Amino acid sequence: MKIAAFDTSSKALTLAILEDETLLAQMTLNIKKNHSITLMPAIDFLMNSLDMKPTDLDRIVVAQGPGSYTGLRIAVATAKTLAHTLKIELVGVSSLLALVPEQAEGLVIPIMDARRNNVYAGFYQSGHVVRPEAHLPLAEVLEIAGATNQPVTFVGETAVFAEQIGAALPQAAIQPSLPDAAAIGRLGLDLPAQSIHDFVPNYLKRVEAEENWLKNHKESSDSYIQRL
């Protein structure tokens, strides 16, 4: 099975082409660029480098969230368009799970900066979810991590939080890491294909405009989106 996998849920853009679990080509850009401008040319470049045509692909695997609202919309819209146009399978995987190293021991907590000292956080042990992914204050994540009786490793967008993590949990390991499209592709290799029509980003948090709207409106079936 030939797979195109990509992630634009953060500042970094990562893209890979795989055949089953074998990585054929990969590109990662960790620069502040508009992903809507760079994603499709990057896909074209890797496909051309491999002498492959879009019709050679069997499946699209995309980081479905959480992460940047704009980044997720770009990735999901691109993935749905490609899958629909090429009539191939579409699969989404967690942006946080894709940050977890394969051989990590103990509790692994991938985090992404959600601004205002909040994070998107996952909690994994041996690749399995031990607590639901969530949008949380960093202080709450540190409290959860401090209550465990096993080694703790923070991965992902850790640089901005390293000082706070070190102060609260001196024994915790801190491993900054970038999204890895090859890992995303392998995670999505054996998952069941999803409905292209129903596929949406997993934001984990309402957009700020919706939160502001809800301050003056009760949440109901007549939602913010329906009103707009």
Side-chain angles (χ1 to χ4, degrees), residues 66-67 69 73 114-116 120 135 201-215 217-220 223-225:
Y69 294 120
R73 286 195 294 270
R115 299 189 299 176
R116 300 173 184 170
Y120 298 110
H135 172 266
N202 179 25
Y203 293 120
L204 284 187
K205 177 183 179 291
R206 294 187 178 95
V207 296
E208 187 172 353
E210 184 176 1
E211 289 183 338
N212 291 336
W213 186 85
L214 285 170
K215 290 176 182 177
H217 301 81
K218 289 184 179 180
E219 188 169 9
S220 68
S223 70
Y224 164 77
I225 295 174

Side-chain angles (χ1 to χ4, degrees), residues 128-147:
H128 299 290
V129 177
V130 295
R131 188 184 181 98
E133 297 178 347
H135 172 266
L136 298 169
L138 178 65
E140 186 172 341
V141 176
L142 295 176
E143 183 179 342
I144 294 168

